[in-house]
Amino acid sequence: MSKLELWFGDQYEKERGRYLQIRGDNVLKKVISPFQEICVVNTPAFGKVLINDGIIMLTEADEAGYHEMITHVPLCVHPSPMNVLVIGGGDGGTVREIIKHSQVNKVDVCEIDEKVIDICREYFPKLANSFDNKKVNIFFEDGAKFLDNRKNQYDVIIVDSSDPIGPGTTLFTEDFYNSLFKALKEDGIAVTQLESIFWHADFIKSTFGFIKKFFPKSFYYYTMVPTYPSGMIGFSFCSKKYHPIENFIAERANQLPSLKYYHSGIHRAAFTLPAFCQNIF
Ligand code: SPD
């Protein structure tokens, strides 16, 4: 008798006719929170995988490329990033990277779903232990509503969201980018998760349509994540003052401890886009 095999992949993209499959050995946890289904699967190829509403959020094997790039790029450009906000990021990977920066005094985290943090504390302690750092304050709120009450407060805001469906939908609107602009100090930088140039170019282009209304300096940059749809994912770099390459502080990047992906060469290279999308954002 053949062994029953568990295969899974990104359900959102499957509906669009494209689907990476990963074999799972067993489901470690499956919970329906008030916001989404949260699932942790053990896999032979990628270690433990966190899947929310059928969409891969992270795998132990390749999360570093995502979390290091969403974090160190803005924090190695802003000259004095003391007050940082993370919207989303309930697994703790982004906070783990932020607290490597000694200049940072305070990290606020606004995660809509308390269950994500609980589950990640249990199954991904190497990421979620970062929430125990004394600089970290956690708020369980919708990110868009949280920003409504905050003006001129943060040096850097990192939007470590899920996809533009489900609980993350409000984080991809023009109003949200307007709120990001207002919540930043006069020289602030926001970085947001912004999908794949291969599969979501129209969406990225329309998002940049309103990013450019608010931020004088805006750029798309990317990282490689084999288990995300198309094997890569990008970010918007939204800045009031600083340029991601001209104001890059390479010495700071070179001093960061225990990195798997980020270094000063990758920082610069990440903003160089393939020919087909060089001029569309
Ligand atoms: N298509 C999936 C994109 C998920 C991006 N964020 C995941 C959270 C990792 N901290």
Side-chain angles (χ1 to χ4, degrees):
M1 205 169 75
S2 67
K3 192 178 152 221
L4 187 67
E5 289 188 342
L6 165 70
W7 286 87
F8 67 95
D10 192 309
Q11 294 302 318
Y12 174 65
E13 296 298 344
K14 191 177 186 184
E15 285 165 23
R16 283 148 192 83
R18 44 206 189 191
Y19 188 60
L20 164 78
Q21 281 200 318
I22 296 174
R23 201 183 85 217
D25 283 341
N26 53 323
V27 176
L28 298 169
K29 187 88 177 177
K30 193 184 255 199
V31 166
I32 312 276
S33 81
F35 302 98
Q36 58 202 335
E37 179 196 88
I38 306 164
C39 191
V40 181
V41 177
N42 209 17
T43 74
F46 296 100
K48 281 183 279 210
V49 182
L50 176 69
I51 306 154
N52 293 352
D53 279 344
I55 300 171
I56 295 171
M57 291 294 114
L58 68 87
T59 83
E60 286 182 319
D62 62 12
E63 54 85 15
Y66 176 88
H67 291 120
E68 292 179 13
M69 290 297 280
I70 201 171
T71 301
H72 300 310
V73 168
L75 292 183
C76 288
V77 171
H78 195 290
S80 182
M82 291 191 283
N83 203 358
V84 178
L85 168 66
V86 180
I87 294 181
D91 51 73
T94 295
V95 172
R96 178 194 66 200
E97 297 305 315
I98 292 171
I99 57 181
K100 291 178 181 174
H101 290 258
S102 55
Q103 302 89 343
V104 174
N105 291 333
K106 185 160 91 87
V107 189
D108 288 346
V109 178
C110 177
E111 164 62 55
I112 196 168
D113 194 343
E114 189 167 1
K115 266 285 167 206
V116 173
I117 294 191
D118 290 346
I119 289 172
C120 290
R121 279 189 187 279
E122 187 174 353
Y123 292 96
F124 300 95
K126 286 187 184 154
L127 286 79
N129 280 350
S130 62
F131 293 130
D132 298 331
N133 189 286
K134 60 182 188 313
K135 295 177 181 176
V136 178
N137 314 291
I138 303 175
F139 302 83
F140 296 110
E141 280 179 54
D142 175 88
K145 289 199 183 114
F146 179 88
L147 281 190
D148 278 345
N149 306 316
R150 268 113 187 142
K151 306 278 178 271
N152 193 29
Q153 204 169 318
Y154 295 103
D155 300 302
V156 172
I157 301 177
I158 298 175
V159 184
D160 179 8
S161 69
S162 48
D163 288 335
I165 48 168
T169 311
T170 54
L171 309 181
F172 292 85
T173 62
E174 180 164 347
D175 281 351
F176 179 71
Y177 278 90
N178 192 7
S179 301
L180 279 178
F181 185 87
K182 289 178 183 161
L184 287 167
K185 291 184 190 164
E186 62 182 14
D187 61 349
I189 300 170
V191 165
T192 70
Q193 186 275 101
L194 198 51
E195 303 285 44
S196 160
I197 39 174
F198 287 97
W199 288 4
H200 314 109
D202 290 343
F203 180 78
I204 299 167
K205 189 176 176 183
S206 68
T207 306
F208 268 92
F210 47 78
I211 289 175
K212 285 177 191 296
K213 287 187 194 171
F214 306 115
F215 290 91
K217 294 192 168 80
S218 65
F219 300 87
Y220 182 89
Y221 71 99
Y222 70 94
T223 184
M224 289 181 269
V225 182
T227 55
Y228 280 167
S230 83
M232 57 82 65
I233 196 162
F235 311 97
S236 72
F237 182 96
C238 311
S239 175
K240 292 190 177 185
K241 181 172 177 184
Y242 304 114
H243 186 284
I245 308 295
E246 290 163 15
N247 299 108
F248 173 44
I249 305 160
E251 315 76 63
R252 192 182 289 170
N254 292 336
Q255 285 163 11
L256 287 167
S258 40
L259 299 174
K260 282 191 182 159
Y261 188 95
Y262 181 76
H263 59 76
S264 56
I266 281 275
H267 179 114
R268 296 188 184 94
F271 289 88
T272 302
L273 303 181
F276 75 87
C277 62
Q278 244 174 345
N279 298 316
I280 62 173
F281 307 135

